[in-house]
Amino acid sequence: MSVFSKDFLWGGAVAANQCEGAWKEGGKGPSCADMCTGGSHTNSKRITGTIEEGTFYPSHEAIDFYHRYKEDIALFAEMGFKTFRFSIAWTRIFPTGMEGEPNEAGLAFYDDVISECLKCHIEPLVTISHYEMPFALTEKCNGWASRECIDLFVKYAKVLFNRYKGKVKYWLTFNEINAGTLPFGGYLSLGILNEGTTEFKNQVDDPMLRFQGLHHQFVASALAVQAGHQIDPECKIGCMIAYMTIYPYTCNPDDILLAQKQSNLQNNFCGDVQVRGEYPYFAKRYFEENNIRIHMEDGDLEILKKGCVDYYTFSYYMTNCTGTNPDQARTFGNLTGGLKNPYLEASDWGWQIDPKGLRYALNEIYGRYQIPLMIVENGLGAYDKIEEDGTIQDDYRIDYLRGHIAQMGEAIKDGVDLIGYTPWGCIDLVSASTGEMAKRYGFIYVDKYDDGTGDLSRKKKKSFVWYKKIIESDGDCLE
Ligand code: BG6
């Protein structure tokens, strides 16, 4: 008998800005993502601020999910998805974020996506904000650096809760909210564009502004949780954290302490606020030592306390090491890099593959919070090749997923309450960090390339059939 229960939520995940395209259709306004050019592993994508004639912007067409969602959802249904995680583009609902009334065409589009899911017996799992805040808010007030965004976000979230009440049971407020603890997250997650920033990977960073922005997001998220529960008491609202397991490189106590400190800041800081409703004990010293002074208004801390999430979700791709020896070789990872681990292999983008690190993470998180967990992103970004016979033999992806699912099973046996799994980019889409199409995660191949060419047709990879069997057997069939 499988350790995964019959109602375990198997599925897949995408985000609007990385798959929808149609960036100007249906009244949509430009988002922060729409201002980013293509890039690569070695060449950072640029943030242009205005649209440059003749430059390629991958989000503008992306994989055209906007026009092809029926075909795509049918493929997800064929794999047996129980849930589909997607995000709503804020700029389809409020094109600048500041309008008084929502844009009906945007809402109608998501009506259709949601009914298509429900028709296929797929539970929609909706992220309210996934790296796609209205660019107009970046221009007006430097994004989340401004408190103004709180009310605008809550207004937007309320529109969604009212419109999709009874249809959407699972919500997430901000994707990878802890991206804001790292310089990379300044523009990506907070819409902060400081003077002098042109390259996505090399942003002019102002930590105080980032943590101020994060505070605004915490308050906005907590208010949205309260509003959501009031509008639809049946719905569940979660947080979403980019979980970055950090190992000490050696057993030197200095390395151990460093790993603990980094993990507290990167992994626990945001989770503690959103699950426990208060800033963690270690925040004070971190702020003092880094000259970070946050402005809070009366009542903010109470709002946080009243807006705790119902479940905890996270992305998990890789692990890194940390240590005090500056000569150790470094490697990359999701949102941030770290030291190379001699026991692990890495993807072509230098992200170290570590299924056991997922079991470790699940135990760490569950031990800390004791609320239901969901892994809402996991997967291998890889170069896929179409063989002469037209097939895509992505055994490397199957190996990666198999290893991680096996460790999820172990964590369930350990006693962790894991309720769902939605691998990232269940259909190939634009990479968030590099803007590439070449970094593919999908079970479904999309004919779209980094120069913008491709007929956008869809093709099943070998992993498509494999994942279908996994779902059919409730995770029991891991061969
Ligand atoms: C997460 C994001 O950071 O990782 C996704 O939530 C992103 O938006 C995913 O696509 C994978 O990262 P990348 O850079 O390979 O696309």
Side-chain angles (χ1 to χ4, degrees):
M1 216 186 81
S2 175
V3 289
F4 295 94
S5 70
K6 284 272 164 223
D7 52 6
F8 188 81
L9 291 166
W10 297 98
V14 301
N17 76 88
Q18 293 169 259
C19 73
E20 282 180 5
W23 76 297
K24 272 182 162 173
E25 278 180 61
K28 181 184 174 300
S31 72
C32 282
D34 292 326
M35 294 295 159
C36 291
T37 69
S40 72
H41 184 28
T42 46
N43 214 351
S44 175
K45 57 185 198 176
R46 290 182 300 117
I47 305 163
T48 58
T50 53
I51 300 299
E52 292 172 357
E53 201 64 37
T55 296
F56 177 58
Y57 292 87
S59 70
H60 292 191
E61 182 181 52
I63 59 155
D64 197 32
F65 178 80
Y66 187 78
H67 296 110
R68 293 162 197 254
Y69 65 92
K70 281 196 182 160
E71 182 191 343
D72 293 342
I73 293 171
L75 287 167
F76 302 152
E78 193 183 325
M79 271 187 279
F81 278 22
K82 306 279 187 341
T83 188
F84 172 44
R85 174 181 176 229
F86 61 93
S87 67
I88 290 185
W90 188 346
T91 50
R92 286 202 188 282
I93 313 302
F94 291 99
T96 67
M98 293 172 272
E99 292 78 2
E101 292 301 318
N103 170 33
E104 180 52 34
L107 289 167
F109 169 65
Y110 295 107
D111 282 343
D112 292 346
V113 171
I114 291 166
S115 22
E116 205 57 31
C117 288
L118 296 175
K119 212 167 79 190
C120 296
H121 310 289
I122 294 175
E123 190 83 63
L125 162 55
V126 178
T127 317
I128 298 174
S129 179
H130 189 133
Y131 296 160
E132 51 216 339
M133 87 176 298
F135 189 68
L137 291 176
T138 293
E139 285 181 305
K140 173 156 192 276
C141 55
N142 212 9
W144 281 98
S146 163
R147 201 174 166 95
E148 263 180 71
C149 291
I150 297 178
D151 287 349
L152 298 173
F153 177 84
V154 175
K155 177 181 67 176
Y156 159 57
K158 280 184 181 166
V159 166
L160 303 187
F161 292 135
N162 277 310
R163 179 82 168 211
Y164 306 121
K165 177 179 168 173
K167 292 184 177 159
V168 174
K169 202 155 76 193
Y170 292 99
W171 296 94
L172 303 175
T173 52
F174 291 96
N175 179 63
E176 294 187 335
I177 192 167
N178 57 327
T181 64
L182 297 159
F184 204 57
Y187 182 74
L188 179 71
S189 172
L190 295 159
I192 293 176
L193 185 58
N194 294 321
E195 216 182 311
T197 295
T198 53
E199 285 192 351
F200 187 73
K201 285 197 176 157
N202 195 16
Q203 299 174 37
V204 175
D205 185 37
D206 180 343
M208 183 131 99
L209 222 48
R210 260 195 292 114
F211 279 91
Q212 184 65 57
L214 207 44
H215 178 71
H216 295 150
Q217 285 191 334
F218 289 150
V219 174
S221 173
L223 287 169
V225 169
Q226 290 176 54
H229 284 155
Q230 210 174 23
I231 295 167
D232 183 1
E234 298 299 305
C235 78
K236 304 271 178 228
I237 310 175
C239 61
M240 193 319 199
I241 307 286
Y243 201 86
M244 296 165 269
T245 300
I246 302 162
Y247 301 129
Y249 193 78
T250 70
C251 52
N252 178 339
D254 286 337
D255 286 2
I256 308 276
L257 279 174
L258 190 64
Q260 186 180 54
K261 189 175 168 188
Q262 272 185 27
S263 187
N264 269 342
L265 181 69
Q266 290 174 17
N267 294 320
N268 299 332
F269 180 82
C270 296
D272 284 5
V273 176
Q274 294 190 288
V275 178
R276 295 172 167 168
E278 56 190 43
Y279 274 81
Y281 70 92
F282 53 81
K284 189 166 172 277
R285 180 166 182 183
Y286 179 79
F287 287 162
E288 275 168 11
E289 288 181 353
N290 291 279
N291 277 323
I292 293 171
R293 285 172 307 281
I294 306 274
H295 174 73
M296 298 191 195
E297 298 211 338
D298 286 350
D300 279 4
L301 294 179
E302 218 180 305
I303 291 171
L304 298 183
K305 205 67 202 166
K306 286 189 181 150
C308 297
V309 293
D310 303 311
Y311 65 114
Y312 178 110
T313 80
F314 65 106
S315 61
Y316 177 89
Y317 290 93
M318 51 2 92
T319 60
N320 275 318
C321 296
T322 190
T324 43
N325 177 353
D327 301 327
Q328 292 296 339
R330 295 188 63 80
T331 190
F332 299 92
N334 186 25
L335 304 176
T336 184
L339 301 182
K340 270 194 183 162
N341 183 333
Y343 298 99
L344 300 178
E345 291 191 351
S347 77
D348 287 331
W349 280 260
W351 297 20
Q352 302 184 118
I353 300 168
D354 186 6
K356 287 182 181 153
L358 176 58
R359 177 180 177 187
Y360 178 81
L362 283 162
N363 275 280
E364 284 289 295
I365 302 166
Y366 192 63
R368 196 172 183 96
Y369 301 123
Q370 314 263 303
I371 59 173
L373 309 186
M374 211 190 280
I375 302 160
V376 293
E377 286 187 31
N378 171 240
L380 181 71
Y383 295 107
D384 288 335
K385 183 170 152 247
I386 303 185
E387 304 294 335
E388 270 172 26
D389 63 0
T391 60
I392 297 149
Q393 304 290 326
D394 56 343
D395 294 277
Y396 36 89
R397 183 165 295 110
I398 294 173
D399 287 348
Y400 177 101
L401 296 169
R402 183 196 288 117
H404 285 77
I405 295 171
Q407 293 301 317
M408 283 156 46
E410 291 301 320
I412 292 174
K413 285 192 222 156
D414 291 337
V416 170
D417 184 11
L418 177 65
I419 60 169
Y421 179 59
T422 59
W424 176 249
C426 45
I427 179 164
D428 292 347
L429 37 59
V430 178
S431 155
S433 58
T434 66
E436 289 166 294
M437 268 310 297
K439 191 181 189 190
R440 295 175 183 271
Y441 286 88
F443 301 112
I444 301 162
Y445 186 91
V446 179
D447 190 75
K448 177 82 193 272
Y449 305 95
D450 287 332
D451 56 2
T453 59
D455 65 12
L456 295 164
S457 59
R458 278 55 172 156
K459 196 189 256 297
K460 296 172 199 169
K461 302 182 193 175
K462 185 174 178 183
S463 56
F464 182 102
V465 179
W466 176 83
Y467 192 48
K468 181 174 161 42
K469 275 203 207 132
I470 290 289
I471 300 179
E472 254 165 27
S473 69
D474 297 316
D476 216 15
C477 148
L478 279 175
E479 83 275 10

